[in-house]
Amino acid sequence: MKRRAFLGSTFAAAAVAALPTRPLQAVFREAPLFPADLDAITGDGRQITIPGSDISELAARLHGRVLLAGDEGYDVARLIRNPSFDKHPALVIQPSGAADVQTAVDFAAEYSLLTAVKCGGHSHSGKSTCDMGLQIDLSLMRGARIDPATRRARVEGGSLLGSLDHEAMAHGLVTPMGTVSHTGVGGLVLGGGFGRLARRYGLAVDNLVSLDIVTADGELRHVSAESNPDLFWGLRGGGGNFGIVTSFEFDLHPMDRTVIGGPIMFPYSKARDLLTMYGEYGHEAPDELQLDYFQAFPPGGADWLAGFAVCYSGPESGADAALAPLQKMGTPIVDGLRAMDYVALQRSGDVDDPRAMGSYMKGGFVPEVPADLAIAISSGMQAHPERSTQLFFQQSGGAINRVRESAMAFPNRRVFGNMMTSVDWPMGADPATHIASCRAYWATLEPFTEGFYTNDQDPELSKVQVDSNWGGNHDRLVTLKDRYDPTNLFRLNANVEPSV
Ligand SMILES: Cc1cc2nc3c(=O)[nH]c(=O)nc-3n(C[C@H](O)[C@H](O)[C@H](O)COP(=O)(O)OP(=O)(O)OC[C@H]3O[C@@H](n4cnc5c(N)ncnc54)[C@H](O)[C@@H]3O)c2cc1C
């Protein structure tokens, strides 16, 4: 593929005839030969105009689709899970496979376009969509294939967690993923990937065997421990910094599909005792037990609750001992703990319409849960009469902590857990007051944190804070960035800026 082909080509005029089923058809009806020229923006903020002829040529080259404002599907693509990021890309490309991703990356590079990459759309910082740039939406690339003989799974770069869990478990196999099934494999895995099985089998990224990626130069590269090992190191935790992953290959583990899971919740007056127990037992618990503390202040003045989201995936014979510390905490208000299907547990936190609620979140890793933190957590949260407020942990430890920090780009190994607080609100409501109170609460908790999960990166952090979070891995990431994305085409992420 020659990049130059996009500019000044006469091929574009002939290409129009090949477009009758594409959404751009509507544009051609108004302008018979080409769509209108398009105002857009580059990664460094320059306003540019893309000739309509180049857009029609792009559409003709793709097996997938180009969507412009007004096209069917444009609004679904541009919106992400958190609809408070209400952005309007100049154009959306929906590739059907790796060849289309190469075309899309070439087009983005040709114009130095501000470029967002979307898989599941769960980005907390809203970086999978953008205003006036190009959004590359991978939602047409969701195939999943399991090979039970080699115990390997291969999924396309736009896949969601749910299809991987579902297909693998059908063979009695799993690979550790996150806890909400409509999260994207792309974003979650490239940043790390915590979940219900991570203490047992490691982070999602620890189970990666290989990837196919289109780097900023438009090359499709196979990446593994043997092939492009430098990039393999960087992609395991370095997020979307180096290109667009078109395919992921994972190791699978045999596991019984019945686990003990669900919520166990106590009156809020127990919060401090629960946190004290958590801080002690969390370090000793078996790897097969995932204990995620959470406290929730539901809207409407209902009872405040504190407790745990539990997943025990070990042998039945070990369950009573593993869960004994919870049973000693008194009588729960909600006891949802039961033997259940692992895939059903993985879907239990899904929401029917993930775009119905705005949300705002703060988070950071804590190395432990000291008494002062337990007090700050349990005494500082303010409820709101109409909106839902939470504080929750995603427990770390076990197999996660047994990997060296320099083994791959993912830097935050020696932690007890990821502590997060968030507020959700129905779209249309004004969240300003409650966002302010979420920030004030976080100000009392942040001093207990050491670093943050790049997948939860707060857009309000400074470059110094972002760079230092990579720890000793930062310089090596910059070297990789210089090599594979020297113009910072892929900048809408936990960005590692090139030095060149
Ligand atoms: C409801 C919810 C639950 C969550 N639960 C967990 C959890 O249990 N465990 C956990 O670890 N995290 C969890 N997260 C955080 C999650 O890991 C991040 O939000 C992650 O970025 C989501 O990935 P995505 O593909 O859905 O996001 P997107 O918004 O689609 O993408 C986020 C970023 O990932 C990059 N990206 C995505 N796909 C590709 C690709 N194929 N190639 C290159 N770059 C790509 C891009 O830089 C993009 O900006 C959760 C988030 C939410 C909102």
Side-chain angles (χ1 to χ4, degrees):
M1 155 88 38
K2 291 267 190 305
R3 287 198 170 150
R4 293 292 126 202
F6 282 117
L7 295 179
S9 167
T10 51
F11 168 76
V16 174
L19 291 169
T21 60
R22 301 236 163 89
L24 278 176
Q25 189 182 13
V27 181
F28 295 133
R29 240 181 264 125
E30 289 158 26
L33 196 52
F34 297 128
D37 294 352
L38 205 58
D39 290 333
I41 201 163
T42 64
D44 56 8
R46 275 180 300 115
Q47 302 259 353
I48 56 167
T49 300
I50 305 174
S53 56
D54 282 10
I55 295 164
S56 56
E57 181 179 347
L58 167 71
R61 283 175 183 271
L62 292 170
H63 194 244
R65 307 195 295 173
V66 176
L67 304 175
L68 305 179
D71 286 340
E72 192 181 338
Y74 172 84
D75 284 324
V76 173
R78 73 174 179 85
L79 283 174
I80 60 172
R81 177 191 175 270
N82 184 351
S84 50
F85 295 104
D86 185 15
K87 300 194 172 176
H88 294 80
L91 74 164
V92 176
I93 298 179
Q94 294 181 322
S96 69
D100 276 359
V101 173
Q102 286 183 285
T103 301
V105 169
D106 276 346
F107 189 80
E110 190 64 57
Y111 284 98
S112 307
L113 281 169
L114 179 67
T115 301
V117 179
K118 178 182 171 189
C119 176
H122 275 209
S123 169
H124 284 293
S125 51
K127 292 195 170 161
S128 46
T129 187
C130 60
D131 276 328
M132 288 193 70
L134 164 66
Q135 183 195 49
I136 300 176
D137 168 22
L138 303 172
S139 59
L140 302 184
M141 296 173 57
R142 292 201 165 149
R145 185 175 184 282
I146 307 301
D147 184 345
T150 58
R151 289 187 183 161
R152 292 273 166 86
R154 189 173 279 284
V155 298
E156 285 188 282
S159 300
L160 306 184
L161 310 190
S163 57
L164 180 48
D165 283 338
H166 176 72
E167 294 298 331
M169 204 69 248
H171 300 277
L173 297 168
V174 286
T175 198
M177 285 288 141
T179 54
V180 173
S181 91
H182 44 74
T183 311
V185 172
L188 180 123
V189 172
L190 293 172
F194 289 82
R196 295 184 171 96
L197 303 178
R199 288 166 46 76
R200 182 172 180 184
Y201 297 122
L203 297 172
V205 81
D206 297 334
N207 290 272
L208 254 181
V209 177
S210 75
L211 316 89
D212 294 333
I213 182 171
V214 177
T215 43
D217 56 5
E219 288 294 314
L220 176 64
R221 299 168 199 265
H222 184 64
V223 176
S224 68
E226 292 77 36
S227 171
N228 298 300
D230 59 340
L231 206 43
F232 189 51
W233 181 92
L235 284 168
R236 288 176 296 158
N241 267 294
F242 305 110
I244 302 184
V245 176
T246 59
S247 162
F248 294 87
E249 185 184 16
F250 296 98
D251 263 333
L252 296 170
H253 310 271
M255 194 183 90
D256 195 325
R257 72 178 298 152
T258 302
V259 297
I260 296 175
I264 180 162
M265 302 302 292
F266 299 86
Y268 194 70
S269 55
K270 282 276 187 190
R272 202 165 141 192
D273 293 345
L274 293 169
L275 283 159
T276 304
M277 180 278 284
Y278 189 42
E280 289 163 7
Y281 184 54
H283 285 296
E284 301 156 15
D287 292 356
E288 293 89 351
L289 180 64
Q290 180 75 24
L291 268 189
D292 292 341
Y293 173 83
F294 76 101
Q295 59 185 46
F297 293 179
D303 290 340
W304 298 3
L305 300 170
F308 297 94
V310 178
C311 176
Y312 172 75
S313 62
E316 205 182 325
S317 57
D320 285 345
L323 298 171
L326 295 183
Q327 311 298 349
K328 290 184 191 147
M329 295 313 297
T331 308
I333 296 178
V334 177
D335 189 356
L337 269 190
R338 60 192 167 89
M340 66 187 297
D341 182 84
Y342 172 71
V343 177
L345 181 61
Q346 286 286 81
R347 288 182 188 149
S348 60
D350 293 3
V351 278
D352 289 343
D353 180 0
R355 292 188 177 83
M357 302 290 283
S359 72
Y360 179 82
M361 193 180 93
K362 293 279 191 190
F365 287 118
V366 293
E368 54 190 336
V369 187
D372 287 355
L373 176 57
I375 293 169
I377 290 173
S378 55
S379 61
M381 187 184 260
Q382 293 172 26
H384 189 284
E386 293 152 16
R387 290 164 211 155
S388 168
T389 312
Q390 304 92 28
L391 175 129
F392 45 104
F393 277 73
Q394 199 151 29
Q395 191 189 0
S396 185
I400 303 168
N401 289 17
R402 291 194 284 273
V403 177
R404 278 181 302 114
E405 274 165 351
S406 60
M408 60 187 81
F410 180 82
N412 312 96
R413 294 281 173 182
R414 313 276 165 257
V415 296
F416 176 90
N418 187 12
M419 176 174 69
M420 295 160 270
T421 182
S422 70
V423 54
D424 296 339
W425 61 90
M427 285 315 290
D430 176 8
T433 318
H434 208 62
I435 286 178
S437 98
C438 186
R439 284 185 179 144
Y441 180 46
W442 182 247
T444 68
L445 306 181
E446 193 175 18
F448 296 93
T449 64
E450 286 180 14
F452 60 89
Y453 183 26
T454 52
N455 273 358
D456 298 340
Q457 188 174 307
D458 187 336
E460 292 162 20
L461 292 179
S462 69
K463 177 168 162 25
V464 173
Q465 288 170 301
V466 172
D467 286 353
S468 67
N469 189 57
W470 297 108
N473 292 343
H474 178 256
D475 291 354
R476 198 166 164 186
L477 283 162
V478 173
T479 305
L480 284 174
K481 189 76 175 174
D482 287 349
R483 179 160 179 201
Y484 292 104
D485 185 20
T487 64
N488 209 5
L489 181 67
F490 301 108
R491 67 180 67 208
L492 292 179
N493 44 48
N495 198 227
V496 176
E497 286 185 21
S499 67
V500 289

PDB file of all heavy atoms in Angstrom, residues 46-72:
ATOM      1  N   ARG A  46      -3.642  21.125  14.476  1.00  0.00           N
ATOM      2  CA  ARG A  46      -3.812  21.970  13.285  1.00  0.00           C
ATOM      3  C   ARG A  46      -5.116  21.637  12.586  1.00  0.00           C
ATOM      4  O   ARG A  46      -5.488  20.478  12.472  1.00  0.00           O
ATOM      5  CB  ARG A  46      -2.660  21.748  12.299  1.00  0.00           C
ATOM      6  CG  ARG A  46      -1.430  22.568  12.582  1.00  0.00           C
ATOM      7  CD  ARG A  46      -0.335  22.274  11.553  1.00  0.00           C
ATOM      8  NE  ARG A  46       0.069  20.887  11.537  1.00  0.00           N
ATOM      9  CZ  ARG A  46      -0.092  20.042  10.523  1.00  0.00           C
ATOM     10  NH1 ARG A  46      -0.675  20.444   9.405  1.00  0.00           N
ATOM     11  NH2 ARG A  46       0.326  18.783  10.592  1.00  0.00           N
ATOM     12  N   GLN A  47      -5.788  22.669  12.080  1.00  0.00           N
ATOM     13  CA  GLN A  47      -7.015  22.464  11.288  1.00  0.00           C
ATOM     14  C   GLN A  47      -6.606  22.128   9.862  1.00  0.00           C
ATOM     15  O   GLN A  47      -5.754  22.814   9.295  1.00  0.00           O
ATOM     16  CB  GLN A  47      -7.828  23.758  11.249  1.00  0.00           C
ATOM     17  CG  GLN A  47      -8.217  24.283  12.611  1.00  0.00           C
ATOM     18  CD  GLN A  47      -9.663  23.947  12.947  1.00  0.00           C
ATOM     19  OE1 GLN A  47     -10.380  23.444  12.094  1.00  0.00           O
ATOM     20  NE2 GLN A  47     -10.061  24.202  14.165  1.00  0.00           N
ATOM     21  N   ILE A  48      -7.204  21.108   9.297  1.00  0.00           N
ATOM     22  CA  ILE A  48      -6.903  20.757   7.910  1.00  0.00           C
ATOM     23  C   ILE A  48      -8.211  20.457   7.172  1.00  0.00           C
ATOM     24  O   ILE A  48      -9.264  20.306   7.795  1.00  0.00           O
ATOM     25  CB  ILE A  48      -5.978  19.523   7.800  1.00  0.00           C
ATOM     26  CG1 ILE A  48      -6.596  18.328   8.535  1.00  0.00           C
ATOM     27  CG2 ILE A  48      -4.588  19.826   8.331  1.00  0.00           C
ATOM     28  CD1 ILE A  48      -5.916  17.011   8.206  1.00  0.00           C
ATOM     29  N   THR A  49      -8.083  20.338   5.864  1.00  0.00           N
ATOM     30  CA  THR A  49      -9.245  19.945   5.061  1.00  0.00           C
ATOM     31  C   THR A  49      -8.871  18.707   4.264  1.00  0.00           C
ATOM     32  O   THR A  49      -7.830  18.678   3.590  1.00  0.00           O
ATOM     33  CB  THR A  49      -9.648  21.085   4.091  1.00  0.00           C
ATOM     34  OG1 THR A  49      -9.971  22.233   4.882  1.00  0.00           O
ATOM     35  CG2 THR A  49     -10.858  20.691   3.258  1.00  0.00           C
ATOM     36  N   ILE A  50      -9.703  17.684   4.346  1.00  0.00           N
ATOM     37  CA  ILE A  50      -9.465  16.454   3.574  1.00  0.00           C
ATOM     38  C   ILE A  50     -10.365  16.506   2.347  1.00  0.00           C
ATOM     39  O   ILE A  50     -11.590  16.626   2.478  1.00  0.00           O
ATOM     40  CB  ILE A  50      -9.803  15.199   4.405  1.00  0.00           C
ATOM     41  CG1 ILE A  50      -9.029  15.211   5.733  1.00  0.00           C
ATOM     42  CG2 ILE A  50      -9.505  13.931   3.616  1.00  0.00           C
ATOM     43  CD1 ILE A  50      -9.414  14.081   6.671  1.00  0.00           C
ATOM     44  N   PRO A  51      -9.773  16.427   1.148  1.00  0.00           N
ATOM     45  CA  PRO A  51     -10.624  16.479  -0.049  1.00  0.00           C
ATOM     46  C   PRO A  51     -11.615  15.313  -0.081  1.00  0.00           C
ATOM     47  O   PRO A  51     -11.274  14.189   0.297  1.00  0.00           O
ATOM     48  CB  PRO A  51      -9.613  16.345  -1.202  1.00  0.00           C
ATOM     49  CG  PRO A  51      -8.284  16.679  -0.606  1.00  0.00           C
ATOM     50  CD  PRO A  51      -8.350  16.307   0.837  1.00  0.00           C
ATOM     51  N   GLY A  52     -12.813  15.604  -0.535  1.00  0.00           N
ATOM     52  CA  GLY A  52     -13.832  14.563  -0.641  1.00  0.00           C
ATOM     53  C   GLY A  52     -13.376  13.407  -1.516  1.00  0.00           C
ATOM     54  O   GLY A  52     -13.739  12.248  -1.288  1.00  0.00           O
ATOM     55  N   SER A  53     -12.544  13.707  -2.528  1.00  0.00           N
ATOM     56  CA  SER A  53     -12.073  12.636  -3.420  1.00  0.00           C
ATOM     57  C   SER A  53     -11.236  11.618  -2.641  1.00  0.00           C
ATOM     58  O   SER A  53     -11.289  10.412  -2.913  1.00  0.00           O
ATOM     59  CB  SER A  53     -11.244  13.232  -4.559  1.00  0.00           C
ATOM     60  OG  SER A  53     -10.173  13.988  -4.030  1.00  0.00           O
ATOM     61  N   ASP A  54     -10.471  12.086  -1.652  1.00  0.00           N
ATOM     62  CA  ASP A  54      -9.662  11.157  -0.854  1.00  0.00           C
ATOM     63  C   ASP A  54     -10.536  10.282   0.038  1.00  0.00           C
ATOM     64  O   ASP A  54     -10.213   9.121   0.311  1.00  0.00           O
ATOM     65  CB  ASP A  54      -8.656  11.925   0.003  1.00  0.00           C
ATOM     66  CG  ASP A  54      -7.461  12.384  -0.811  1.00  0.00           C
ATOM     67  OD1 ASP A  54      -7.520  12.268  -2.057  1.00  0.00           O
ATOM     68  OD2 ASP A  54      -6.482  12.861  -0.215  1.00  0.00           O
ATOM     69  N   ILE A  55     -11.643  10.861   0.468  1.00  0.00           N
ATOM     70  CA  ILE A  55     -12.532  10.060   1.330  1.00  0.00           C
ATOM     71  C   ILE A  55     -13.225   8.975   0.510  1.00  0.00           C
ATOM     72  O   ILE A  55     -13.361   7.828   0.940  1.00  0.00           O
ATOM     73  CB  ILE A  55     -13.554  10.978   2.035  1.00  0.00           C
ATOM     74  CG1 ILE A  55     -12.793  11.899   2.988  1.00  0.00           C
ATOM     75  CG2 ILE A  55     -14.573  10.165   2.816  1.00  0.00           C
ATOM     76  CD1 ILE A  55     -13.583  13.066   3.455  1.00  0.00           C
ATOM     77  N   SER A  56     -13.604   9.322  -0.689  1.00  0.00           N
ATOM     78  CA  SER A  56     -14.249   8.287  -1.515  1.00  0.00           C
ATOM     79  C   SER A  56     -13.239   7.221  -1.928  1.00  0.00           C
ATOM     80  O   SER A  56     -13.561   6.031  -2.007  1.00  0.00           O
ATOM     81  CB  SER A  56     -14.951   8.900  -2.727  1.00  0.00           C
ATOM     82  OG  SER A  56     -14.066   9.650  -3.484  1.00  0.00           O
ATOM     83  N   GLU A  57     -11.987   7.627  -2.140  1.00  0.00           N
ATOM     84  CA  GLU A  57     -10.975   6.620  -2.457  1.00  0.00           C
ATOM     85  C   GLU A  57     -10.739   5.707  -1.259  1.00  0.00           C
ATOM     86  O   GLU A  57     -10.625   4.477  -1.390  1.00  0.00           O
ATOM     87  CB  GLU A  57      -9.655   7.288  -2.848  1.00  0.00           C
ATOM     88  CG  GLU A  57      -8.609   6.246  -3.204  1.00  0.00           C
ATOM     89  CD  GLU A  57      -7.285   6.860  -3.619  1.00  0.00           C
ATOM     90  OE1 GLU A  57      -7.236   8.075  -3.860  1.00  0.00           O
ATOM     91  OE2 GLU A  57      -6.309   6.105  -3.679  1.00  0.00           O
ATOM     92  N   LEU A  58     -10.692   6.309  -0.083  1.00  0.00           N
ATOM     93  CA  LEU A  58     -10.538   5.516   1.140  1.00  0.00           C
ATOM     94  C   LEU A  58     -11.671   4.492   1.249  1.00  0.00           C
ATOM     95  O   LEU A  58     -11.444   3.304   1.498  1.00  0.00           O
ATOM     96  CB  LEU A  58     -10.561   6.465   2.350  1.00  0.00           C
ATOM     97  CG  LEU A  58     -10.717   5.816   3.725  1.00  0.00           C
ATOM     98  CD1 LEU A  58      -9.431   5.075   4.100  1.00  0.00           C
ATOM     99  CD2 LEU A  58     -11.048   6.862   4.786  1.00  0.00           C
ATOM    100  N   ALA A  59     -12.899   4.961   1.046  1.00  0.00           N
ATOM    101  CA  ALA A  59     -14.055   4.062   1.175  1.00  0.00           C
ATOM    102  C   ALA A  59     -13.957   2.910   0.182  1.00  0.00           C
ATOM    103  O   ALA A  59     -14.298   1.766   0.504  1.00  0.00           O
ATOM    104  CB  ALA A  59     -15.341   4.853   0.966  1.00  0.00           C
ATOM    105  N   ALA A  60     -13.477   3.212  -1.008  1.00  0.00           N
ATOM    106  CA  ALA A  60     -13.374   2.167  -2.035  1.00  0.00           C
ATOM    107  C   ALA A  60     -12.318   1.127  -1.691  1.00  0.00           C
ATOM    108  O   ALA A  60     -12.427  -0.034  -2.065  1.00  0.00           O
ATOM    109  CB  ALA A  60     -13.056   2.813  -3.374  1.00  0.00           C
ATOM    110  N   ARG A  61     -11.292   1.533  -0.985  1.00  0.00           N
ATOM    111  CA  ARG A  61     -10.218   0.602  -0.635  1.00  0.00           C
ATOM    112  C   ARG A  61     -10.616  -0.345   0.491  1.00  0.00           C
ATOM    113  O   ARG A  61     -10.012  -1.392   0.672  1.00  0.00           O
ATOM    114  CB  ARG A  61      -8.974   1.389  -0.190  1.00  0.00           C
ATOM    115  CG  ARG A  61      -8.213   1.977  -1.334  1.00  0.00           C
ATOM    116  CD  ARG A  61      -7.080   2.849  -0.832  1.00  0.00           C
ATOM    117  NE  ARG A  61      -6.418   3.444  -1.969  1.00  0.00           N
ATOM    118  CZ  ARG A  61      -5.411   2.885  -2.610  1.00  0.00           C
ATOM    119  NH1 ARG A  61      -4.934   1.727  -2.207  1.00  0.00           N
ATOM    120  NH2 ARG A  61      -4.876   3.471  -3.659  1.00  0.00           N
ATOM    121  N   LEU A  62     -11.601   0.081   1.286  1.00  0.00           N
ATOM    122  CA  LEU A  62     -11.943  -0.702   2.481  1.00  0.00           C
ATOM    123  C   LEU A  62     -12.940  -1.803   2.169  1.00  0.00           C
ATOM    124  O   LEU A  62     -13.826  -1.646   1.325  1.00  0.00           O
ATOM    125  CB  LEU A  62     -12.572   0.225   3.533  1.00  0.00           C
ATOM    126  CG  LEU A  62     -11.666   1.271   4.165  1.00  0.00           C
ATOM    127  CD1 LEU A  62     -12.509   2.246   4.999  1.00  0.00           C
ATOM    128  CD2 LEU A  62     -10.606   0.623   5.038  1.00  0.00           C
ATOM    129  N   HIS A  63     -12.805  -2.901   2.897  1.00  0.00           N
ATOM    130  CA  HIS A  63     -13.847  -3.915   2.903  1.00  0.00           C
ATOM    131  C   HIS A  63     -14.880  -3.554   3.961  1.00  0.00           C
ATOM    132  O   HIS A  63     -16.041  -3.914   3.883  1.00  0.00           O
ATOM    133  CB  HIS A  63     -13.200  -5.271   3.203  1.00  0.00           C
ATOM    134  CG  HIS A  63     -14.084  -6.420   2.925  1.00  0.00           C
ATOM    135  ND1 HIS A  63     -14.521  -7.265   3.906  1.00  0.00           N
ATOM    136  CD2 HIS A  63     -14.616  -6.872   1.774  1.00  0.00           C
ATOM    137  CE1 HIS A  63     -15.301  -8.190   3.376  1.00  0.00           C
ATOM    138  NE2 HIS A  63     -15.375  -7.974   2.081  1.00  0.00           N
ATOM    139  N   GLY A  64     -14.443  -2.826   4.978  1.00  0.00           N
ATOM    140  CA  GLY A  64     -15.337  -2.318   6.019  1.00  0.00           C
ATOM    141  C   GLY A  64     -15.964  -1.002   5.597  1.00  0.00           C
ATOM    142  O   GLY A  64     -16.249  -0.800   4.417  1.00  0.00           O
ATOM    143  N   ARG A  65     -16.148  -0.074   6.560  1.00  0.00           N
ATOM    144  CA  ARG A  65     -16.967   1.095   6.262  1.00  0.00           C
ATOM    145  C   ARG A  65     -16.301   2.407   6.697  1.00  0.00           C
ATOM    146  O   ARG A  65     -15.502   2.433   7.627  1.00  0.00           O
ATOM    147  CB  ARG A  65     -18.297   0.989   7.023  1.00  0.00           C
ATOM    148  CG  ARG A  65     -19.004  -0.323   6.769  1.00  0.00           C
ATOM    149  CD  ARG A  65     -20.438  -0.278   7.209  1.00  0.00           C
ATOM    150  NE  ARG A  65     -20.596  -0.112   8.639  1.00  0.00           N
ATOM    151  CZ  ARG A  65     -21.773   0.086   9.234  1.00  0.00           C
ATOM    152  NH1 ARG A  65     -22.876   0.161   8.488  1.00  0.00           N
ATOM    153  NH2 ARG A  65     -21.859   0.218  10.519  1.00  0.00           N
ATOM    154  N   VAL A  66     -16.692   3.472   6.011  1.00  0.00           N
ATOM    155  CA  VAL A  66     -16.382   4.828   6.466  1.00  0.00           C
ATOM    156  C   VAL A  66     -17.705   5.469   6.854  1.00  0.00           C
ATOM    157  O   VAL A  66     -18.681   5.369   6.114  1.00  0.00           O
ATOM    158  CB  VAL A  66     -15.757   5.685   5.338  1.00  0.00           C
ATOM    159  CG1 VAL A  66     -15.540   7.112   5.825  1.00  0.00           C
ATOM    160  CG2 VAL A  66     -14.451   5.102   4.878  1.00  0.00           C
ATOM    161  N   LEU A  67     -17.744   6.094   8.014  1.00  0.00           N
ATOM    162  CA  LEU A  67     -18.966   6.770   8.457  1.00  0.00           C
ATOM    163  C   LEU A  67     -18.670   8.251   8.681  1.00  0.00           C
ATOM    164  O   LEU A  67     -17.674   8.597   9.321  1.00  0.00           O
ATOM    165  CB  LEU A  67     -19.472   6.174   9.770  1.00  0.00           C
ATOM    166  CG  LEU A  67     -19.741   4.662   9.798  1.00  0.00           C
ATOM    167  CD1 LEU A  67     -20.107   4.219  11.209  1.00  0.00           C
ATOM    168  CD2 LEU A  67     -20.843   4.297   8.819  1.00  0.00           C
ATOM    169  N   LEU A  68     -19.550   9.079   8.146  1.00  0.00           N
ATOM    170  CA  LEU A  68     -19.465  10.523   8.383  1.00  0.00           C
ATOM    171  C   LEU A  68     -20.674  10.943   9.207  1.00  0.00           C
ATOM    172  O   LEU A  68     -21.652  10.187   9.312  1.00  0.00           O
ATOM    173  CB  LEU A  68     -19.459  11.279   7.052  1.00  0.00           C
ATOM    174  CG  LEU A  68     -18.380  10.885   6.037  1.00  0.00           C
ATOM    175  CD1 LEU A  68     -18.526  11.704   4.762  1.00  0.00           C
ATOM    176  CD2 LEU A  68     -16.978  11.071   6.630  1.00  0.00           C
ATOM    177  N   ALA A  69     -20.613  12.141   9.801  1.00  0.00           N
ATOM    178  CA  ALA A  69     -21.743  12.640  10.591  1.00  0.00           C
ATOM    179  C   ALA A  69     -23.022  12.517   9.768  1.00  0.00           C
ATOM    180  O   ALA A  69     -23.049  12.890   8.590  1.00  0.00           O
ATOM    181  CB  ALA A  69     -21.497  14.089  10.987  1.00  0.00           C
ATOM    182  N   GLY A  70     -24.059  11.988  10.368  1.00  0.00           N
ATOM    183  CA  GLY A  70     -25.333  11.812   9.678  1.00  0.00           C
ATOM    184  C   GLY A  70     -25.520  10.413   9.135  1.00  0.00           C
ATOM    185  O   GLY A  70     -26.650   9.986   8.873  1.00  0.00           O
ATOM    186  N   ASP A  71     -24.427   9.671   8.941  1.00  0.00           N
ATOM    187  CA  ASP A  71     -24.561   8.294   8.451  1.00  0.00           C
ATOM    188  C   ASP A  71     -25.124   7.405   9.555  1.00  0.00           C
ATOM    189  O   ASP A  71     -24.827   7.592  10.740  1.00  0.00           O
ATOM    190  CB  ASP A  71     -23.195   7.727   8.034  1.00  0.00           C
ATOM    191  CG  ASP A  71     -22.706   8.299   6.720  1.00  0.00           C
ATOM    192  OD1 ASP A  71     -23.552   8.813   5.951  1.00  0.00           O
ATOM    193  OD2 ASP A  71     -21.488   8.234   6.464  1.00  0.00           O
ATOM    194  N   GLU A  72     -25.876   6.395   9.137  1.00  0.00           N
ATOM    195  CA  GLU A  72     -26.387   5.428  10.094  1.00  0.00           C
ATOM    196  C   GLU A  72     -25.190   4.727  10.766  1.00  0.00           C
ATOM    197  O   GLU A  72     -24.279   4.273  10.071  1.00  0.00           O
ATOM    198  CB  GLU A  72     -27.256   4.407   9.362  1.00  0.00           C
ATOM    199  CG  GLU A  72     -28.048   3.551  10.297  1.00  0.00           C
ATOM    200  CD  GLU A  72     -28.880   2.518   9.541  1.00  0.00           C
ATOM    201  OE1 GLU A  72     -29.159   2.739   8.344  1.00  0.00           O
ATOM    202  OE2 GLU A  72     -29.199   1.494  10.157  1.00  0.00           O
TER     203      GLU A  72
END
